[in-house]
Amino acid sequence: MTGPIEPPTRTASSSRVLICDDQELIRMGLRMVVDSQPDLTVVGEAADGDAAIAGVAALEPDLVLMDVRMPGLDGLAATEHLCAQPHGPRILVVTTFDLDEYAYAALRAGANGFLVKDAPAEEILVTVRAVLRGEVMVAPSLTRRLVERFVLHAPASGPAQRRLAALTEREREVLALVARGLANGEVADRLFVGETTVKTHLGRILTKLGLRDRVHAVIFAYESGLVRVGD
């Protein structure tokens, strides 16, 4: 008979995770995966958006795994509230499907990525760590499909069009290619520049437009009319 499994050794630098889902079994499963790692610690659980907001205030997690459909305050409203805070946690949306209306709404609310509920443990951990590093875990092609699906009939936004004036011609070119689903290396090849140059342009675009990340830059490109569905 084997002895008891020793819990992983925690360090002071372990990232703090709050799990928010109205299904207890989902919370238990995510807790087991996250708590199995020495660099990650589940500091609390919540069953709805109000409890998640209260948990963030009390526990100060680095990351919230946020379900979408919950009774009371749902995950979208909770995500929007938390992302509006000056030093709020990063939000990883836990969704049943990667292409539904909730996914696009979560992007607009400020979510930093998506996690499919039935994803294998290895994928969950890769996604969690990437979001904690500051990455946005949405593939460029998925971002484009999401945006195209939900802005298909939406006219270009006047305010967004006016904000385009802040960008140089080269920055507009970079933004348009990013919005069409090209990765940084592909944009660099298309424009005959280095990948570092593309990253620099993208950083300036985000700063000038006051955008959080690459995903929101893609949304802006469609909303401003810089890129249209079918381009």
Side-chain angles (χ1 to χ4, degrees):
M1 181 181 296
T2 60
I5 299 175
E6 294 294 331
T9 302
R10 304 294 176 190
T11 67
S13 60
S14 292
S15 296
R16 300 163 60 83
V17 180
L18 176 69
I19 298 173
C20 180
D21 196 294
D22 65 331
Q23 299 181 55
E24 185 176 3
L25 286 176
I26 295 294
R27 297 199 305 271
M28 289 175 58
L30 290 172
R31 175 183 278 274
M32 289 178 62
V33 171
V34 173
D35 262 345
S36 70
Q37 304 299 301
D39 59 327
L40 301 171
T41 302
V42 175
V43 295
E45 297 180 8
D48 57 48
D50 285 317
I53 291 171
V56 167
L59 302 170
E60 298 183 347
D62 302 299
L63 173 70
V64 177
L65 300 182
M66 183 74 77
D67 188 18
V68 174
R69 287 174 265 195
M70 296 180 289
L73 190 71
D74 66 21
L76 297 178
T79 294
E80 186 171 13
H81 175 89
L82 292 172
C83 290
Q85 306 304 308
H87 302 291
R90 299 187 70 78
I91 308 292
L92 181 55
V93 170
V94 180
T95 180
T96 304
F97 304 103
D98 61 0
L99 282 176
D100 61 17
E101 66 274 19
Y102 296 105
Y104 181 69
L107 282 179
R108 295 296 308 275
N112 305 105
F114 299 100
L115 179 66
V116 180
K117 285 188 177 182
D118 60 357
E122 182 178 354
E123 182 179 333
I124 291 173
L125 293 171
V126 167
T127 304
V128 164
R129 290 192 174 103
V131 170
L132 284 167
R133 287 196 304 268
E135 299 177 29
V136 177
M137 289 303 290
V138 184
S141 58
L142 172 57
T143 302
R144 182 175 181 180
R145 291 199 306 270
L146 277 170
V147 173
E148 287 191 351
R149 178 174 177 182
F150 294 105
V151 300
L152 182 60
H153 303 295
S157 163
Q161 287 179 312
R162 290 190 288 273
R163 288 165 64 194
L164 272 177
L167 303 183
T168 65
E169 182 176 351
R170 175 61 83 180
E171 287 166 350
R172 290 190 188 199
E173 289 179 321
V174 170
L175 178 56
L177 292 173
V178 167
R180 292 185 179 106
L182 275 67
N184 288 348
E186 294 171 318
V187 174
D189 291 343
R190 186 73 63 88
L191 298 179
F192 303 103
V193 298
E195 188 169 347
T196 301
T197 300
V198 173
K199 292 179 180 178
T200 299
H201 282 309
L202 188 55
R204 289 173 179 165
I205 290 167
L206 296 178
T207 299
K208 287 182 178 181
L209 298 177
L211 301 172
R212 286 168 53 93
D213 47 50
R214 183 190 196 97
V215 172
H216 293 86
V218 173
I219 293 173
F220 174 87
Y222 280 87
E223 290 184 335
S224 67
L226 178 66
V227 176
R228 299 184 183 279
V229 175
D231 283 357

